Structures are given as C-alpha cells and as structure tokens.
Amino acid sequence: MSPRRSDPRARPGLVTIAARLLAEEGPQALSTRRIASEVGTSTMALYTHFNGMRGLARAIVHEGFARLQQHFTRVRPSDDPVCDLALLGRAYRCNAQANPHLYAVMFGGSSLAGFSLDEEDRQYGRYTLAGVTECAARCIGAGRFRPADPELVAHQMWSAVHGLVVLELGGYLIEPCDADRLLEAQLVGLMVGVGDTREAAAGSVAASARRLREEVVPAVDAAGPE
C-alpha cells in the first residue's frame, strides 16, 4: 500500500490555527496534537509540511509578512504621493487589526518551541518595506518632502506606525488619546517632519482616510479571512 499523500490545503490552516492559539492562549496551548486536531489533520502533517514546530513558527512569521504585503499592494499609486504614503501607514495598521494573532509573532513578540527570529527572517520582513521606500522617493521627487534618503523616511514611517499599533493592540490607547485620533495627528506630523507643509499634509492625510474606506477596507472584506 502506498503512503497517503499529504493534503497541501492543510499547510495554511496549520499556520493560521497555530498563530491564533499562540496569541490567544500562549505557548502552553500549542502541541502537535492540539494544532492537528483544530485543523482536522494528522500530527504527521506538521512534520511533513514544516519538519516540526520550529519550522511551523518560521512559517507563521513569513505568513504574517505575506499578509502585510497583500495589504500594501491594495494601495495604488496616485497623483498625490503623500496621500499614498499615508494610506500605506493605514494599510499597515489595517493588517495588524485583521491579523493580530500573526502580528504578535512577526516581530518576536511571541515565541514557540524555542524558535527565535534570525537575520534571514528579519530580512524577509524588511522586503515588505520596498514599496514604502519607493513611495517616499516619489514624495521627495514631487517636492513635497525635502531631499533625503527615502529608505530612512520609510523607516521613520514604519517605526512610528508600528509603535502605535503595538500600543493599540495592547489596549493602551484610550480616549481622549485613542488610536484613531493619535494616528491622524501622527501621520500629519510625520509628513511635516520630513518637509511637507502642514496644510498640504493635512489635506493628503484626510484624503488617505477616504481612500482607506473606499479602496483598502472593501478589498479586505471581499477577500474574507486571510
């Protein structure tokens, strides 16, 4: 009798279920038996697809960044690059809100089976910033930002929005300084800080909020759970 072929459809389910259990119940909730049972497959699937729990943890990190990239690609370039840049920041937050269980492990915030991020994993994550860097370069080329290293501008955006997201997911941002209000002020402040006028920055940031509702969020909803 030939061995039963593994079901390739089980792989994404294993990643998603493991990440959710890790975020909601902690590492103690994770075992090969528990994960396989949640997905409806055998424990052997974890070894077939990932060579064990450490391989699964790495797949969780990569899946998280793949979903972030999907959100970024929904932002189409327009004739207002500052609006596009602000919308990328909103898309970053939108991804974290949609995938908090994956977001927790993308930056080493949760650990599994002794796994820790290595430089290859971090570089994989950095690749998602390429589109943000390109957008920052467009802002500089359009004269909205002062001459600067676009990669540095992209990292400024990343670190600022990431900090906000971590605080928001941790439940720290409440009225009168809730996450929505803070994000609006933060985005305008970032654009002004790298050279835009406050009036132009405020207009572009406001336009990015409308585009989020019209372009990014409907696409996420239409795609369903990622």
Side-chain angles (χ1 to χ4, degrees):
M1 180 181 296
S2 62
R4 185 175 62 181
R5 294 178 180 271
S6 61
D7 183 355
R9 294 172 297 180
R11 193 181 196 280
L14 289 165
V15 173
T16 300
I17 291 297
R20 177 179 60 78
L21 290 173
L22 179 64
E24 293 179 356
E25 301 181 32
Q28 69 277 4
L30 293 181
S31 68
T32 56
R33 186 179 299 276
R34 172 80 185 275
I35 297 168
S37 175
E38 292 273 349
V39 178
T41 188
S42 68
T43 57
M44 184 57 66
L46 273 80
Y47 297 92
T48 299
H49 292 292
F50 306 106
N51 198 30
M53 294 291 281
R54 290 192 180 188
L56 175 60
R58 174 164 281 109
I60 290 171
V61 171
H62 288 205
E63 174 68 11
F65 281 108
R67 295 186 184 194
L68 173 59
Q69 184 61 45
Q70 289 171 3
H71 277 74
F72 280 165
T73 56
R74 292 178 180 124
V75 177
R76 303 300 183 187
S78 73
D79 58 2
D80 183 347
V82 176
C83 177
D84 298 342
L85 190 62
L87 185 55
L88 286 167
R90 294 184 190 278
Y92 185 95
R93 180 193 179 202
C94 185
N95 172 70
Q97 292 172 325
N99 300 288
H101 50 290
L102 289 175
Y103 193 86
V105 298
M106 289 164 61
F107 302 98
S110 295
S111 61
L112 171 62
F115 169 81
S116 59
L117 299 174
D118 61 19
E119 183 55 29
E120 182 179 349
D121 299 319
R122 294 187 181 94
Q123 190 59 31
Y124 185 91
R126 292 186 189 107
Y127 287 143
T128 61
L129 206 62
V132 183
T133 301
E134 292 172 3
C135 187
R138 290 174 53 228
C139 294
I140 295 167
R144 295 285 297 273
F145 294 172
R146 70 177 68 93
D149 179 354
E151 189 171 6
L152 178 60
V153 174
H155 276 74
Q156 287 177 272
M157 171 72 71
W158 183 19
S159 61
V161 177
H162 174 72
L164 181 148
V165 166
V166 170
L167 291 173
E168 180 181 19
L169 294 181
Y172 287 98
L173 300 180
I174 60 175
E175 293 183 352
C177 295
D178 59 273
D180 289 338
R181 181 186 181 195
L182 182 58
L183 181 65
E184 302 310 308
Q186 184 183 70
L187 289 174
V188 172
L190 283 166
M191 306 312 175
V192 172
V194 290
D196 207 7
T197 67
R198 182 163 295 278
E199 181 179 6
S204 293
V205 168
S208 74
R210 293 190 294 271
R211 288 180 60 192
L212 180 75
R213 294 189 297 270
E214 295 168 358
E215 300 173 23
V216 177
V217 172
V220 173
D221 292 342
E226 294 181 275

